[in-house]
């Protein structure tokens, strides 16, 4: 790096890593638990109580089911 934007620090992972993100343009915080559950809060005390209460009230983030694509085009059978 030479005078540009600094590189992002490495991201931690593990069984007890919590993430808190400020929701841009609001007074809200998004909490992300190590189990993948997420929730938006306005009160940081409630946020930490929720995070530290794991697994009470935590549901893993739902993974959307893949939508079926369009059916493949069929060619007419030879006569």
């Amino acid at each position: 790096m030479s005078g540009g934007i600094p590189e992002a620090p490495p991201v931690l992972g593990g069984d007890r890593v919590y993430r808190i993100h400020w929701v841009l343009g609001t007074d809200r915080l998004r909490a992300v638990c190590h189990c993948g559950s997420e929730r938006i809060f306005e009160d940081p005390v409630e946020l930490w109580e929720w995070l530290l209460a794991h697994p009470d009230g935590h549901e893993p983030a739902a993974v959307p089911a893949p939508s079926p694509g369009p059916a493949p085009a069929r060619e007419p059978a030879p006569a």
Side-chain angles (χ1 to χ4, degrees):
M1 183 189 88
S2 59
I5 298 174
E7 292 184 30
V11 177
L12 297 176
D15 290 345
R16 301 306 281 176
V17 175
Y18 304 106
R19 302 199 189 287
I20 300 171
H21 305 275
W22 171 52
V23 180
L24 188 61
T26 70
D27 290 336
R28 296 180 177 178
L29 299 169
R30 181 171 58 102
V32 182
C33 183
H34 59 86
C35 70
S37 183
E38 296 183 22
R39 191 167 157 194
I40 302 287
F41 293 89
E42 291 187 16
D43 181 2
V45 173
E46 289 179 16
L47 177 149
W48 278 107
E49 287 174 348
W50 179 79
L51 280 174
L52 297 174
H54 176 85
D56 296 338
H58 293 220
E59 296 294 325
V63 177
S67 59
R74 293 186 152 178
E75 295 184 24

